[in-house]
Amino acid sequence: MLRSLLAATILAMLVANVAEAQVRYNSAQRMRDVDARFENTDGWIGADGGHSCLLDKDTRLWLFSDTWVGKIRDEKRVDATIVNNTLAIESTRGKQPPKFYVRRDEQGKPMAMFTPADGRGWFWLQDAVMVEEKLYLVLSQIERDGDGGAFGFRQIGQVLGVVDNPHDDPYQWQLRQLPMPCSIATDKRELWFGASLRIEGKTLYVYGTDEEKSGDYRTRFLTLAKVPVESIESFDQWQFYDGKRWVADFRKSAHLLPRMATEYSVVHLDELDIYAVVFNDNGLSDRIRVSTSKELTGPWTPAVTVFRCPEDRWDSRNFCYGSKAHPSLAGDNELVISYFVNATELGHVANDIRLYQPRFLRIKVDKPGN
């Protein structure tokens, strides 16, 4: 483990001069108008997750994980419950609030939009992408681990979801669930693919994380897979980047960037012709970081802190996480980034409606000298 971290650190030092030459990040600007689209007082009243993708040029899909459903009265969440995932859809052409989708059972009780076919645990939603009129989305299968508290859970699987009718009403979506075999879940290592999805030409690139654990110490690394778009559902056609070449053995996936989060996004800044990965430092951190590369495979520049979330310092119970970029909201040479703030005590989240809402930032990115 330490050898892998040392190698990644040395690589980062070797490409440090590239980082200085590639880009400059301007001060982050709050996007209060976008924040306001998600500040409901009835029904959907807060969530985390927050991946976005385009269903078509006019329609944006939002994917949320744990979601509060209830009411906000006197600046508090009341008559509320939590479900494990929900959706929202909005027009890309206006600034109207999204339409939120919360499935309900026959008695009207809120429930998750998607549940595991094998009945174990629940799904938290990762990234999604449209490919030839199908929607592919990655679902992390989670269950309680018995420890209780805000972090008393563990991941037990990764599922590739396929929606063949994504232009229908989401309540009518038919989800096919394909367990992803390119996964590891042991006491010492967790390897998952699906945190960020990118289409380049006729290839789907699937970014993931490889987490090494030793006692209380753990660190995650960026990893990468690819598959032809016509073979996405055939896992024997997937290949994995080992640092030099593409191989069939997912266990040989290279560590491309250290201190990753389980949630992040990789986007392309077209005008600058570079890729950027956006994440919270090592997962739970007030530091939102960005690393860039000329190629999908790297080498990635040393990560730069582009924003520090102030909410982390409001209360010792608060923590920040879940940063992602949203290209469909961004202009040229821009990163639009969302992040989330949670707390170690559920009652604290219920009583502070500033928490558990997506918060948005706009950051201009320039080449030095511009």
Side-chain angles (χ1 to χ4, degrees):
M1 178 184 64
L2 293 177
R3 185 180 298 112
S4 297
L5 184 58
L6 179 60
T9 303
I10 292 173
L11 176 60
M13 293 172 63
L14 290 173
V15 298
N17 60 325
V18 179
E20 295 175 356
Q22 273 195 339
V23 294
R24 180 185 65 217
Y25 304 98
N26 295 307
S27 297
Q29 303 297 315
R30 291 282 190 175
M31 300 178 70
R32 301 294 187 186
D33 58 330
V34 183
D35 292 352
R37 299 180 206 172
F38 299 90
E39 294 173 346
N40 285 352
T41 57
D42 291 274
W44 189 104
I45 54 171
D48 66 3
H51 283 279
S52 67
C53 79
L54 293 180
L55 296 179
D56 55 51
K57 64 181 180 64
D58 296 322
T59 311
R60 183 183 298 113
L61 169 68
W62 292 94
L63 301 166
F64 296 103
S65 295
D66 280 349
T67 302
W68 286 80
V69 182
K71 304 174 183 177
I72 291 179
R73 300 291 186 268
D74 298 322
E75 302 296 307
K76 296 181 180 180
R77 295 180 171 96
V78 298
D79 300 328
T81 189
I82 295 176
V83 299
N84 295 124
N85 55 74
T86 57
L87 307 176
I89 290 181
E90 67 175 343
S91 169
T92 61
R93 294 183 293 178
K95 295 185 179 181
Q96 297 301 312
K99 180 178 180 180
F100 296 91
Y101 290 83
V102 179
R103 195 179 297 280
R104 296 179 182 269
D105 63 16
E106 294 180 354
Q107 288 73 43
K109 182 180 178 180
M111 57 184 293
M113 286 292 292
F114 306 122
T115 57
D118 63 8
R120 292 187 62 188
W122 65 87
F123 284 142
W124 285 335
L125 309 185
Q126 290 203 300
D127 206 4
V129 67
M130 285 289 294
V131 181
E132 298 178 354
E133 299 306 304
K134 292 183 182 181
L135 176 68
Y136 289 92
L137 64 157
V138 179
L139 309 105
S140 296
Q141 190 169 0
I142 312 294
E143 69 176 9
R144 287 288 173 191
D145 65 3
D147 290 342
F151 304 106
F153 58 85
R154 63 183 177 186
Q155 185 167 353
I156 59 173
Q158 193 87 319
V159 173
L160 180 65
V162 187
V163 178
D164 294 308
N165 59 330
H167 298 297
D168 292 345
D169 185 287
Y171 291 129
Q172 305 303 316
W173 283 0
Q174 301 298 312
L175 178 72
R176 292 188 283 121
Q177 298 183 22
L178 309 177
M180 299 174 67
C182 49
S183 303
I184 296 174
T186 69
D187 291 340
K188 294 185 178 181
R189 185 183 183 190
E190 291 192 30
L191 176 62
W192 311 103
F193 288 90
S196 187
L197 309 178
R198 285 200 58 80
I199 294 288
E200 299 275 343
K202 296 184 178 181
T203 301
L204 173 65
Y205 290 89
V206 183
Y207 286 91
T209 54
D210 192 357
E211 180 175 326
E212 295 183 346
K213 300 179 285 185
S214 177
D216 293 333
Y217 178 82
R218 59 184 61 198
T219 189
R220 302 179 194 90
F221 299 88
L222 183 75
T223 58
L224 179 60
K226 72 172 183 177
V227 61
V229 293
E230 68 271 15
S231 304
I232 293 173
E233 299 173 36
S234 301
F235 292 111
D236 60 350
Q237 298 299 305
W238 286 46
Q239 293 183 304
F240 306 88
Y241 188 62
D242 74 354
K244 294 181 179 179
R245 61 187 66 84
W246 295 97
V247 299
D249 188 351
F250 66 92
R251 297 171 185 84
K252 296 181 179 179
S253 299
H255 292 168
L256 305 179
L257 187 67
R259 300 189 62 81
M260 289 299 300
T262 55
E263 301 179 62
Y264 62 87
S265 56
V266 178
V267 298
H268 189 257
L269 297 171
D270 294 341
E271 295 297 317
L272 298 176
D273 193 25
I274 57 172
Y275 297 92
V277 55
V278 176
F279 61 103
N280 289 82
D281 182 45
N282 215 31
L284 303 180
S285 172
D286 66 335
R287 292 175 172 84
I288 298 177
R289 314 204 78 191
V290 179
S291 175
T292 60
S293 172
K294 293 291 291 183
E295 305 293 338
L296 279 161
T297 53
W300 294 89
T301 62
V304 174
T305 298
V306 297
F307 185 75
R308 293 194 65 178
C309 311
E311 298 89 346
D312 187 73
R313 298 180 288 282
W314 290 353
D315 191 289
S316 62
R317 294 167 290 185
N318 292 357
F319 58 90
C320 304
Y321 65 112
S323 294
K324 304 170 188 74
H326 304 281
S328 65
L329 288 171
D332 292 342
N333 296 358
E334 282 185 348
L335 288 170
V336 169
I337 297 172
S338 65
Y339 70 93
F340 295 85
V341 188
N342 202 344
T344 54
E345 296 180 11
L346 194 64
H348 179 53
V349 180
N351 291 328
D352 190 342
I353 61 171
R354 299 173 300 173
L355 309 184
Y356 230 70
Q357 297 277 9
R359 297 304 179 199
F360 292 85
L361 310 167
R362 186 187 306 277
I363 300 174
K364 292 292 290 185
V365 184
D366 298 316
K367 289 183 178 180
N370 287 2

